[in-house]
Amino acid sequence: RRVRFTVGIGYPDSIDAARATILRAVGGAEGVLAEPGPWAYVEELAPSSVNFAVYFWTASQQANVLRVRDRVATAVKQALDAAGIDMPY
């Protein structure tokens, strides 16, 4: 099952560095399928953030999808924090 969510970064931050950080975090999360691999595309230049649409695949059971989505979101937040990449609100 394909899962999608949005992650925003600050305008001063590097899109390339953020994309690489996001993809590493998503790909390393338990339950994310290696094939097809995760994607992260710039979706929107919003008023206070550059927003990525992040896609990944996991097993299709709903309970599994929710657990993996939590792991992925947590991993992305922690990775962006560690890289010093701002996530504005």
Side-chain angles (χ1 to χ4, degrees), residues 40-66:
Y41 295 113
V42 173
E43 174 180 53
E44 178 184 21
L45 300 175
S48 63
S49 62
V50 176
N51 293 334
F52 286 89
V54 179
Y55 295 88
F56 64 92
W57 285 258
T58 188
S60 63
Q61 297 84 6
Q62 181 65 24
N64 182 61
V65 171
L66 296 175

Side-chain angles (χ1 to χ4, degrees), residues 1-5 26 29-38 55-72:
R1 181 170 178 180
R2 185 179 73 183
V3 181
R4 179 194 182 282
F5 71 100
V26 173
E30 181 184 345
V32 173
L33 299 179
E35 288 297 323
Y55 295 88
F56 64 92
W57 285 258
T58 188
S60 63
Q61 297 84 6
Q62 181 65 24
N64 182 61
V65 171
L66 296 175
R67 277 192 302 273
V68 175
R69 183 180 171 95
D70 173 69
R71 287 184 201 127
V72 167

Side-chain angles (χ1 to χ4, degrees), residues 13 17-18 21 24 76-86:
D13 294 301
T21 301
R24 271 193 308 276
V76 167
K77 169 72 167 95
Q78 291 172 342
L80 290 173
D81 286 350
I85 297 172
D86 184 39

